[in-house]
Amino acid sequence: MKKSENWVEDCNRLARTVRVHCLRMTHRGKSGHVGSMLSMAEILSVLYTRVLRVDPKRPKWAGRDRFVLSKGHGGCAVYAVLGELGFFPKRWFNGYYRDNGKLMGHISHHVPGVEFSTGSLGHGLPVAVGMALAARHAGKTHRVICLMSDGDCDEGSTWEAILFAAQHKLDNLTVIVDYNKVQALGYSKDVLDLEPFARKLEDCHWAVKEVDGHDVVALDEALSKLPFEQGKPSWLICHTVKGKGVSWMENTVSCHYGSVTDEELARALRELEVTQ
Amino acid sequence: MRTLFNKVLVDIAKKDKRIWMILADIGYGEIEPFRDAFPDRWFNCGVAEQNMTGVACGVAMEGNIAITYSIANFPTLRCLEQIRNDVCYHNANVKIVIIGGGLAYGPLGVSHQATEDIAIMRALPNMVVFCPCDFAEADAGVHAMIAHRGPFYYRCGYKKEPPVHKGKIAFQLGKAIQVRDGTDATIFFTGTIGNQVLPAAEALEKRGIHCRVVSLHTVKPIDRKAIVKAARETGAIITVEEHQLQGGLGSAVSEVLCDEGVMPKKFLRIGLPDVYVSKVGTHEWLLNEYGLSTPKIAASIRKLLQ
């Protein structure tokens, strides 16, 4: 996929486009979770342009990499990427979260290109583990990548899967955490502190790396060499900012649920240097 | 029945390489043949039922048939949201097998008594709910479970249950099996409680009450025709289940009768009351205490038909 020499620019442009789509869709649908979408824009743009082997013309292609979004509340951002890549017509964006629309608030496998539906946290990783187990058993070389949130890591089921994946040395499995450090009711450190996050996972026998989750070069560098270590599942902690790209949303708890007003949309688009 | 289940499953899995067993540290003394025959398709998730169900779903999403297996409520209630959101919503080919429904593990206490499972499982879209009464139904049911594409709940017996059916059965998923004929009433049952029901019907026969006895091994999808036919032909309908009365077999049968506008002259649901079991005792003893032994069932039916 490394076609363009200006891939960094292209990647950043796609991330910005994702942010714009998310703001417009959530504004139109009067829905929340926009902060959780904005924090993972670069992660998604790098994944879909540099890492994942997927084909918009053949969404069910057997050799595709499996991408499971466990933080299903951020599904709108995945829809934005999939629409941009041509998995479905971009006019579907108009129906996000609206009557008779095709895009429901939490990510749905009924949308072409979406591997699995989630929405209740702690579901993605166990399923991704099962997919990785089956792939290895069948001798398949596709990878399984699961994108999770801070809140996902509160769930007991996630830790059950962490133990299991390491026990079975699933090195075809990669977890990416959009570690924006804010959850529904507060800052993660005040709710359930995950720190020392990397050490916890290392102690659970995962290979761990940490990057700036808004630095597409750093993301690309980390994800270009999978697994991080043979015989271990890979865990990439992406340090991100909730609400990234919209100044008054950044690192706030309120942008988890709040929807975007007309005035806020106009201001946000100006900040993102969108003229129309 | 659990030994038979495991034997039949291993036999099928020899030919069908899609079959996996995903466990949560339960099944000692029963699951070893599968583990030894297919170690690469057998995984023990440890005491972690949510992960067991999620992993099974992921395995099934890749074209396999994943069986989760544990006792009583462990593979259903602890991981109910995984069953709903992951398995049923995606119509994944996951089979949930419990050993010992109802009061089977009686003296172990309430945690080990699966008394709401049928109601909860049958509320889930895409889920088949199956409760075999004896080895004949259990054997046929394993084959049907594997042949069926999609989520499947299999409520397996835990001991050497005596036969309810005499000889071979004409088995079809979703089709009731008549065990004996009668003209005064029809007793519908599901699962191993059939062992108490059939002798009750035979005892009533000696008192001149002729009961049809029908096994509704598949509670969902239920055999609507058999229910309507029985109500029209025998007038009285009784349901017997080793399960609480809310939402189980009796509820399912009464839903069909109301939907179809067929009102039996007499109707009785026999099952567990709306309480948790507070008494200590063996399976057989508890069945009697809660009105589900042969004499108690016979007495309830006689009273209804007086």
Side-chain angles (χ1 to χ4, degrees), chain A residues 66 117 120 123 126 137 160-161, chain B residues 40 51 58 62 81 86 89-90:
Chain A
R66 274 48 165 181
S117 298
S120 175
H123 283 247
H137 178 264
E160 292 178 6
Chain B
D40 58 334
N51 188 49
E62 296 297 322
E81 197 181 62
D86 303 347
Y89 179 31
H90 294 83

Side-chain angles (χ1 to χ4, degrees), chain B residues 176 186 188 212 214 216 223-231:
Chain B
T186 299
F188 287 110
R212 180 182 295 179
V214 178
L216 282 170
D223 188 342
R224 303 175 74 89
K225 280 185 185 167
I227 294 166
V228 170
K229 184 167 178 279

Side-chain angles (χ1 to χ4, degrees), chain B residues 1-115:
Chain B
M1 191 184 289
R2 63 184 172 181
T3 308
L4 173 92
F5 173 90
N6 280 286
K7 184 187 173 304
V8 176
L9 185 67
V10 168
D11 286 345
I12 301 172
K14 280 176 190 160
K15 293 176 200 132
D16 193 336
K17 308 279 184 227
R18 299 172 302 161
I19 299 173
W20 294 47
M21 235 184 161
I22 312 286
L23 302 176
D25 218 30
I26 291 278
Y28 183 77
E30 300 292 343
I31 47 70
E32 290 80 359
F34 194 105
R35 178 195 66 192
D36 297 343
F38 318 109
D40 58 334
R41 293 188 265 144
W42 182 97
F43 288 89
N44 181 3
C45 291
V47 189
E49 292 80 8
Q50 295 179 77
N51 188 49
M52 170 181 74
T53 307
V55 167
C57 183
V59 165
M61 294 297 286
E62 296 297 322
N64 302 296
I65 301 170
I67 289 153
T68 63
Y69 175 106
S70 191
I71 59 170
N73 297 312
F74 299 162
T76 52
L77 299 190
R78 182 59 167 264
C79 46
L80 180 57
E81 197 181 62
Q82 278 77 13
I83 295 174
R84 178 185 182 271
N85 293 10
D86 303 347
V87 175
C88 289
Y89 179 31
H90 294 83
N91 202 21
N93 216 350
V94 174
K95 319 300 181 183
I96 298 149
V97 180
I98 73 149
I99 306 301
L103 302 173
Y105 291 112
L108 286 176
V110 170
S111 62
H112 286 57
Q113 294 164 359
T115 50

Side-chain angles (χ1 to χ4, degrees), chain A residues 97-115:
Chain A
Y97 215 85
R98 301 175 83 196
D99 294 347
N100 205 25
K102 289 185 184 292
L103 306 176
M104 62 177 76
H106 288 86
I107 196 158
S108 165
H109 65 289
H110 294 302
V111 176
V114 174
E115 193 69 47

